[in-house]
Amino acid sequence: MTADSDFLYLDYAATTPLDPQVAQLMQEVHTSAFANAGSTHRAGRRSAAVVGRAAVQLGALLQADPDCFLWTSGATESNNLAIAGAAKIRAHRGKHLVTMRTEHKAVVDVFIALEKQGFEISWLTPDANGHVSSEDFEAALREDTQLASIMHINNETGVVQDIAALGAICREHDVLFHVDGAQSVGKVHMDLDTLPVDLLSLTAHKFYGPSGIGALYIADGVHIEPLMFGGGQQRRLRPGSLPVDLIAGLGAAAEVAGNRIDKDLEKFTTLREALWRGIQDVGGLQINGSPDSGYPGILNVSVDDVEGESLLLALEPLCVAAGSACNSQSQEPSYVLRALGRSDFEAQSAVRFSLGRPTTRADIDIAAATYRNAVRKLRDMAPERVA
Ligand SMILES: Cc1ncc(COP(=O)(O)O)c(C=O)c1O
């Protein structure tokens, strides 16, 4: 908690603050490259060059050809475009698609929409630690399967799927492989030169870039249908004038991220461990996800005998999430945690702590103490409420 804020933010999986270096660059671009990047005059060419540089920066982060990116408004749009765009263009070959029950809503709801349009979806259930095995994944593929979509890092639990193994299986079966990388790009190393990934969605605000800008990586030779129609920008696949300053921000954020992934991962590993140790003595805790592996920036825990809504209130001024941030308006227990086999009550008591670059050891100590006190207070107050 800093002196100028009255909350302690531990919700970096929901969004991250803009990196000051990135903000400064965007400010400069805003005035120096305001022209439409599609204009052929000198000012337009300057804007186009700014966009080109961002693509190079993103390509360097992911070891990918800069020409393979489409700019979008974020991972929601990238997921829609990748999944619906690929499913539709390949529909004449087959209408079977594969995904997991623990995907983000920005994937789940696209598949539900496609199901209504006559596609058949296989929904894979993970094991209790949140993983899908290569065997279960391969068993779901059929002659008519056209696309599989599996997220890299789960936004609620931090569970990391084995993208390399699953992608290799897709290649063997001539199935397109889409990965929702909203929680992994800029946070863990990814090498698209060797990873068998055909389509990858990402969004800048998860890695200290601006909101409202994302990208879709489309591997060479992979075809999708556009979902929007308009000008001829971006090979007609995603028309519309480009937001040059946002794109510049995404590129700069990618460069900053690339330079500090290892440092951030090391720090989060230490802090996550300290947080877990710091809350242990309340007892009755259960980690949601893989206790020993998983992305170290996320710790999701359920606790016995405490009701989730009251817990979130009692945790003030900690800013943490109950399940997914994108779901937090809903009173429903998290469908992701239910898919891991948690009961409604366990899922409802879950709290997701997510760590970020500004998080300090002192923050973790405050968070742990706040959590311990909140759980003890609620257990003392309402013992009759628990079954
Ligand atoms: C895994 C995952 N996919 C997709 C999204 C959607 O990203 P955006 O809101 O930037 O479109 C999020 C954001 O919460 C996410 O965590």
Side-chain angles (χ1 to χ4, degrees), residues 219-236:
D220 213 21
V222 171
H223 299 288
I224 59 166
E225 248 181 51
L227 302 185
M228 295 199 296
F229 303 90
Q233 296 96 336
Q234 304 205 75
R235 293 175 274 146
R236 297 191 182 279

Side-chain angles (χ1 to χ4, degrees), residues 271-290:
L271 292 183
R272 181 186 190 270
E273 176 60 26
L275 180 58
W276 176 233
R277 261 188 286 111
I279 60 176
Q280 294 271 302
D281 46 307
V282 295
L285 293 173
Q286 189 177 21
I287 291 189
N288 297 312
S290 336

